[in-house]
Amino acid sequence: MLQVMDWSVVAMGCPLILVALGGRWWERVKARKGAGPVRGTRFFWAWLPLLLGLGMIGGNLPRLLHASHSVVMTMDTLNLVLAVTTVVLVLRVARHFYWRRGLRTPE
């Protein structure tokens, strides 16, 4: 039962990656039609599903495929790097969002 749940997490990571690739493709098509690319929340929303999907797949797939301990530890380290990257992106977008709206914290 637990292995089925782990495979379902891997299966949910695949559509997230496809959504991210589709979003990036959509942004490129819009940029070709003359709309300038906006570096802000739309940039973040194109990368967030990709990072989450890779984290979900990388966290469970090596263990499900009975990989060696060194491979599992390497994937866990890469997942930590992905998690830190995602947190940094979220903080940058939140700061940009609040700064633009004038909701600065009192200093």
Side-chain angles (χ1 to χ4, degrees), residues 85-99:
T85 304
T86 304
V87 168
V88 167
L89 282 174
V90 166
L91 291 175
R92 286 183 63 196
V93 168
R95 188 188 73 164
H96 180 71
F97 177 77
Y98 288 123
W99 185 269

Side-chain angles (χ1 to χ4, degrees), residues 53-69:
L54 286 174
M56 290 170 71
I57 290 173
N60 288 327
L61 195 60
R63 188 182 43 207
L64 290 171
L65 297 177
H66 304 292
S68 65
H69 180 69

Side-chain angles (χ1 to χ4, degrees), residues 40-56:
T41 56
R42 289 196 317 189
F43 173 77
F44 172 70
W45 288 114
W47 279 100
L48 182 64
L50 179 67
L51 294 174
L52 292 176
L54 286 174
M56 290 170 71

Side-chain angles (χ1 to χ4, degrees), residues 1-93:
M1 179 68 179
L2 188 59
Q3 193 171 14
V4 172
M5 291 173 31
D6 286 341
W7 277 111
S8 68
V9 170
V10 171
M12 287 187 303
C14 293
L16 281 172
I17 291 176
L18 292 175
V19 164
L21 295 175
R24 290 183 51 79
W25 174 78
W26 182 259
E27 289 292 324
R28 286 186 183 185
V29 168
K30 286 176 64 177
R32 274 191 227 141
K33 291 183 179 179
V38 176
R39 304 283 292 183
T41 56
R42 289 196 317 189
F43 173 77
F44 172 70
W45 288 114
W47 279 100
L48 182 64
L50 179 67
L51 294 174
L52 292 176
L54 286 174
M56 290 170 71
I57 290 173
N60 288 327
L61 195 60
R63 188 182 43 207
L64 290 171
L65 297 177
H66 304 292
S68 65
H69 180 69
S70 61
V71 172
V72 172
M73 291 303 292
T74 303
M75 291 304 295
D76 285 344
T77 304
L78 290 175
N79 272 338
L80 178 64
V81 170
L82 278 174
V84 169
T85 304
T86 304
V87 168
V88 167
L89 282 174
V90 166
L91 291 175
R92 286 183 63 196
V93 168

